[in-house]
Tab-separated table of all heavy atoms in Angstrom:
chain	number	residue	atom	x	y	z
V	113	ASP	N	-4.199	12.044	1.723
V	113	ASP	CA	-4.074	12.948	2.876
V	113	ASP	C	-5.436	13.310	3.500
V	113	ASP	O	-5.451	14.006	4.569
V	113	ASP	CB	-3.202	14.182	2.620
V	113	ASP	CG	-1.825	13.771	2.124
V	113	ASP	OD1	-1.308	12.760	2.640
V	113	ASP	OD2	-1.265	14.531	1.227
V	114	ALA	N	-6.506	12.921	2.858
V	114	ALA	CA	-7.813	13.242	3.404
V	114	ALA	C	-8.274	12.139	4.422
V	114	ALA	O	-9.438	12.197	4.922
V	114	ALA	CB	-8.893	13.250	2.269
V	115	LYS	N	-7.406	11.266	4.757
V	115	LYS	CA	-7.776	10.180	5.712
V	115	LYS	C	-8.396	10.700	6.935
V	115	LYS	O	-9.431	10.163	7.408
V	115	LYS	CB	-6.478	9.360	6.095
V	115	LYS	CG	-6.660	8.325	7.169
V	115	LYS	CD	-5.323	7.598	7.437
V	115	LYS	CE	-5.475	6.836	8.767
V	115	LYS	NZ	-4.176	6.055	9.058
V	116	PRO	N	-7.921	11.773	7.634
V	116	PRO	CA	-8.641	12.125	8.898
V	116	PRO	C	-10.086	12.634	8.644
V	116	PRO	O	-10.955	12.371	9.468
V	116	PRO	CB	-7.794	13.368	9.336
V	116	PRO	CG	-6.454	13.270	8.647
V	116	PRO	CD	-6.688	12.519	7.355
V	117	LEU	N	-10.289	13.291	7.505
V	117	LEU	CA	-11.607	13.801	7.151
V	117	LEU	C	-12.573	12.574	6.958
V	117	LEU	O	-13.753	12.611	7.379
V	117	LEU	CB	-11.590	14.631	5.872
V	117	LEU	CG	-11.148	16.030	5.916
V	117	LEU	CD1	-11.112	16.637	4.561
V	117	LEU	CD2	-12.133	16.808	6.770
V	118	VAL	N	-12.013	11.592	6.256
V	118	VAL	CA	-12.876	10.411	5.961
V	118	VAL	C	-13.169	9.593	7.280
V	118	VAL	O	-14.353	9.140	7.376
V	118	VAL	CB	-12.187	9.535	4.850
V	118	VAL	CG1	-12.951	8.282	4.593
V	118	VAL	CG2	-12.048	10.306	3.556
V	119	LEU	N	-12.240	9.569	8.136
V	119	LEU	CA	-12.458	8.884	9.434
V	119	LEU	C	-13.533	9.630	10.196
V	119	LEU	O	-14.437	8.956	10.672
V	119	LEU	CB	-11.186	8.906	10.262
V	119	LEU	CG	-10.111	7.821	9.927
V	119	LEU	CD1	-8.843	8.060	10.669
V	119	LEU	CD2	-10.680	6.414	10.259
V	120	THR	N	-13.568	10.926	10.129
V	120	THR	CA	-14.593	11.640	10.912
V	120	THR	C	-15.940	11.375	10.266
V	120	THR	O	-16.936	11.194	10.996
V	120	THR	CB	-14.289	13.170	10.807
V	120	THR	OG1	-12.984	13.438	11.412
V	120	THR	CG2	-15.312	14.001	11.517
V	121	ALA	N	-15.978	11.345	8.892
V	121	ALA	CA	-17.267	11.135	8.241
V	121	ALA	C	-17.747	9.684	8.550
V	121	ALA	O	-18.962	9.417	8.733
V	121	ALA	CB	-17.149	11.324	6.685
V	122	LEU	N	-16.845	8.681	8.476
V	122	LEU	CA	-17.298	7.300	8.747
V	122	LEU	C	-17.770	7.229	10.213
V	122	LEU	O	-18.806	6.462	10.462
V	122	LEU	CB	-16.134	6.360	8.564
V	122	LEU	CG	-15.730	6.045	7.096
V	122	LEU	CD1	-14.473	5.258	7.049
V	122	LEU	CD2	-16.884	5.339	6.353
V	123	ASP	N	-17.124	7.864	11.064
V	123	ASP	CA	-17.549	7.830	12.462
V	123	ASP	C	-18.963	8.444	12.608
V	123	ASP	O	-19.807	7.926	13.325
V	123	ASP	CB	-16.526	8.726	13.348
V	123	ASP	CG	-16.364	8.149	14.727
V	123	ASP	OD1	-16.739	6.957	14.913
V	123	ASP	OD2	-15.928	8.864	15.602
V	124	ALA	N	-19.174	9.544	11.895
V	124	ALA	CA	-20.501	10.245	11.911
V	124	ALA	C	-21.628	9.346	11.396
V	124	ALA	O	-22.688	9.328	11.827
V	124	ALA	CB	-20.451	11.494	11.162
V	125	LEU	N	-21.192	8.492	10.384
V	125	LEU	CA	-22.201	7.610	9.762
V	125	LEU	C	-22.714	6.564	10.766
V	125	LEU	O	-23.818	6.090	10.656
V	125	LEU	CB	-21.658	6.864	8.569
V	125	LEU	CG	-21.508	7.647	7.274
V	125	LEU	CD1	-20.885	6.815	6.197
V	125	LEU	CD2	-23.020	7.990	6.854
V	126	THR	N	-21.965	6.291	11.781
V	126	THR	CA	-22.301	5.205	12.757
V	126	THR	C	-22.516	5.759	14.132
V	126	THR	O	-22.504	5.087	15.135
V	126	THR	CB	-21.211	4.189	12.841
V	126	THR	OG1	-19.940	4.784	13.217
V	126	THR	CG2	-20.992	3.404	11.527
V	127	ILE	N	-22.958	7.066	14.158
V	127	ILE	CA	-23.160	7.746	15.511
V	127	ILE	C	-24.275	7.240	16.211
V	127	ILE	O	-24.397	7.232	17.510
V	127	ILE	CB	-23.270	9.309	15.203
V	127	ILE	CG1	-22.569	10.034	16.289
V	127	ILE	CG2	-24.671	9.710	15.106
V	127	ILE	CD1	-22.105	11.380	15.892
V	128	ALA	N	-25.343	6.608	15.540
V	128	ALA	CA	-26.567	6.113	16.216
V	128	ALA	C	-26.748	4.666	15.892
V	128	ALA	O	-27.533	4.353	14.975
V	128	ALA	CB	-27.779	6.974	15.905
V	129	PRO	N	-26.075	3.750	16.508
V	129	PRO	CA	-26.163	2.355	16.181
V	129	PRO	C	-27.577	1.846	16.078
V	129	PRO	O	-27.881	0.968	15.277
V	129	PRO	CB	-25.401	1.598	17.286
V	129	PRO	CG	-24.530	2.660	17.925
V	129	PRO	CD	-25.170	3.956	17.688
V	130	GLU	N	-28.441	2.332	16.931
V	130	GLU	CA	-29.809	1.743	17.036
V	130	GLU	C	-30.618	2.009	15.690
V	130	GLU	O	-31.472	1.309	15.346
V	130	GLU	CB	-30.568	2.384	18.177
V	130	GLU	CG	-30.845	3.907	18.077
V	130	GLU	CD	-29.679	4.774	18.482
V	130	GLU	OE1	-28.567	4.245	18.796
V	130	GLU	OE2	-29.827	6.042	18.401
V	131	ARG	N	-30.153	2.945	14.906
V	131	ARG	CA	-30.735	3.224	13.605
V	131	ARG	C	-30.505	2.133	12.536
V	131	ARG	O	-31.100	2.058	11.548
V	131	ARG	CB	-30.466	4.621	13.091
V	131	ARG	CG	-31.055	5.670	13.987
V	131	ARG	CD	-30.768	7.145	13.658
V	131	ARG	NE	-31.081	7.514	12.313
V	131	ARG	CZ	-30.418	8.491	11.665
V	131	ARG	NH1	-29.402	9.097	12.227
V	131	ARG	NH2	-30.809	8.842	10.509
V	132	PHE	N	-29.513	1.346	12.906
V	132	PHE	CA	-29.043	0.219	12.008
V	132	PHE	C	-29.799	-1.090	12.396
V	132	PHE	O	-29.416	-2.209	11.974
V	132	PHE	CB	-27.529	0.011	11.918
V	132	PHE	CG	-26.879	1.135	11.313
V	132	PHE	CD1	-26.393	2.230	12.014
V	132	PHE	CD2	-26.611	1.040	9.913
V	132	PHE	CE1	-25.719	3.250	11.373
V	132	PHE	CE2	-25.952	2.119	9.357
V	132	PHE	CZ	-25.474	3.154	10.037
V	133	THR	N	-30.758	-1.057	13.308
V	133	THR	CA	-31.268	-2.242	14.007
V	133	THR	C	-31.605	-3.379	12.977
V	133	THR	O	-31.092	-4.522	13.232
V	133	THR	CB	-32.601	-1.943	14.873
V	133	THR	OG1	-32.191	-0.916	15.778
V	133	THR	CG2	-33.003	-3.147	15.659
V	134	PRO	N	-32.258	-3.139	11.874
V	134	PRO	CA	-32.558	-4.337	11.041
V	134	PRO	C	-31.270	-4.698	10.324
V	134	PRO	O	-31.092	-5.874	9.879
V	134	PRO	CB	-33.564	-3.819	10.020
V	134	PRO	CG	-33.493	-2.369	10.050
V	134	PRO	CD	-32.940	-1.904	11.366
V	135	GLU	N	-30.273	-3.860	10.154
V	135	GLU	CA	-29.050	-4.203	9.319
V	135	GLU	C	-27.848	-3.996	10.184
V	135	GLU	O	-26.973	-3.166	9.893
V	135	GLU	CB	-28.996	-3.166	8.146
V	135	GLU	CG	-30.190	-3.346	7.184
V	135	GLU	CD	-30.226	-2.186	6.203
V	135	GLU	OE1	-29.908	-0.981	6.587
V	135	GLU	OE2	-30.668	-2.392	5.063
V	136	THR	N	-27.768	-4.870	11.189
V	136	THR	CA	-26.581	-4.762	12.038
V	136	THR	C	-25.254	-5.022	11.240
V	136	THR	O	-24.247	-4.414	11.547
V	136	THR	CB	-26.652	-5.946	13.137
V	136	THR	OG1	-27.991	-5.869	13.646
V	136	THR	CG2	-25.683	-5.768	14.202
V	137	ALA	N	-25.378	-5.851	10.235
V	137	ALA	CA	-24.185	-6.140	9.374
V	137	ALA	C	-23.609	-4.860	8.730
V	137	ALA	O	-22.390	-4.731	8.586
V	137	ALA	CB	-24.489	-7.154	8.280
V	138	VAL	N	-24.501	-3.937	8.406
V	138	VAL	CA	-24.090	-2.645	7.682
V	138	VAL	C	-23.330	-1.830	8.757
V	138	VAL	O	-22.189	-1.363	8.495
V	138	VAL	CB	-25.307	-1.928	7.202
V	138	VAL	CG1	-24.909	-0.533	6.696
V	138	VAL	CG2	-25.929	-2.626	6.099
V	139	TYR	N	-23.860	-1.749	10.030
V	139	TYR	CA	-23.198	-1.024	11.066
V	139	TYR	C	-21.774	-1.632	11.347
V	139	TYR	O	-20.798	-0.916	11.429
V	139	TYR	CB	-24.002	-1.107	12.323
V	139	TYR	CG	-23.301	-0.428	13.493
V	139	TYR	CD1	-23.283	1.011	13.721
V	139	TYR	CD2	-22.666	-1.208	14.504
V	139	TYR	CE1	-22.642	1.525	14.794
V	139	TYR	CE2	-22.040	-0.626	15.533
V	139	TYR	CZ	-22.032	0.749	15.645
V	139	TYR	OH	-21.306	1.366	16.686
V	140	LEU	N	-21.753	-2.916	11.464
V	140	LEU	CA	-20.491	-3.607	11.724
V	140	LEU	C	-19.491	-3.504	10.669
V	140	LEU	O	-18.295	-3.271	10.866
V	140	LEU	CB	-20.697	-5.130	12.094
V	140	LEU	CG	-21.517	-5.380	13.396
V	140	LEU	CD1	-21.822	-6.887	13.498
V	140	LEU	CD2	-20.765	-4.878	14.636
V	141	GLY	N	-19.978	-3.552	9.463
V	141	GLY	CA	-19.166	-3.302	8.246
V	141	GLY	C	-18.578	-1.939	8.201
V	141	GLY	O	-17.334	-1.770	7.968
V	142	LEU	N	-19.394	-0.905	8.516
V	142	LEU	CA	-18.816	0.440	8.563
V	142	LEU	C	-17.776	0.609	9.694
V	142	LEU	O	-16.773	1.288	9.516
V	142	LEU	CB	-19.985	1.447	8.816
V	142	LEU	CG	-20.963	1.695	7.592
V	142	LEU	CD1	-22.182	2.471	8.056
V	142	LEU	CD2	-20.220	2.422	6.528
V	143	ARG	N	-18.075	0.028	10.894
V	143	ARG	CA	-17.061	0.113	11.972
V	143	ARG	C	-15.772	-0.667	11.575
V	143	ARG	O	-14.654	-0.002	11.767
V	143	ARG	CB	-17.559	-0.469	13.247
V	143	ARG	CG	-18.766	0.271	13.836
V	143	ARG	CD	-18.551	1.791	13.916
V	143	ARG	NE	-17.557	2.139	14.837
V	143	ARG	CZ	-17.024	3.368	14.854
V	143	ARG	NH1	-17.443	4.428	13.980
V	143	ARG	NH2	-16.084	3.789	15.693
V	144	ALA	N	-15.854	-1.723	10.906
V	144	ALA	CA	-14.612	-2.430	10.439
V	144	ALA	C	-13.879	-1.671	9.473
V	144	ALA	O	-12.610	-1.537	9.497
V	144	ALA	CB	-15.071	-3.776	9.807
V	145	ILE	N	-14.556	-1.023	8.456
V	145	ILE	CA	-13.841	-0.120	7.563
V	145	ILE	C	-13.189	0.964	8.291
V	145	ILE	O	-12.036	1.467	7.993
V	145	ILE	CB	-14.876	0.329	6.462
V	145	ILE	CG1	-15.143	-0.821	5.435
V	145	ILE	CG2	-14.265	1.586	5.673
V	145	ILE	CD1	-16.297	-0.549	4.523
V	146	TYR	N	-13.969	1.636	9.242
V	146	TYR	CA	-13.399	2.759	10.034
V	146	TYR	C	-12.069	2.353	10.664
V	146	TYR	O	-11.014	3.024	10.619
V	146	TYR	CB	-14.336	3.191	11.083
V	146	TYR	CG	-13.796	4.209	12.066
V	146	TYR	CD1	-13.855	5.528	11.769
V	146	TYR	CD2	-13.129	3.829	13.218
V	146	TYR	CE1	-13.357	6.557	12.680
V	146	TYR	CE2	-12.581	4.752	14.106
V	146	TYR	CZ	-12.692	6.084	13.779
V	146	TYR	OH	-12.097	7.017	14.675
Side-chain angles (χ1 to χ4, degrees):
D113 299 328
K115 173 181 165 179
L117 281 175
V118 175
L119 280 171
T120 303
L122 287 173
D123 214 20
L125 279 177
T126 56
I127 219 153
E130 66 279 1
R131 292 177 58 210
F132 290 91
T133 306
E135 297 168 325
T136 313
V138 173
Y139 175 80
L140 295 174
L142 287 170
R143 292 315 291 166
I145 286 171
Y146 173 89

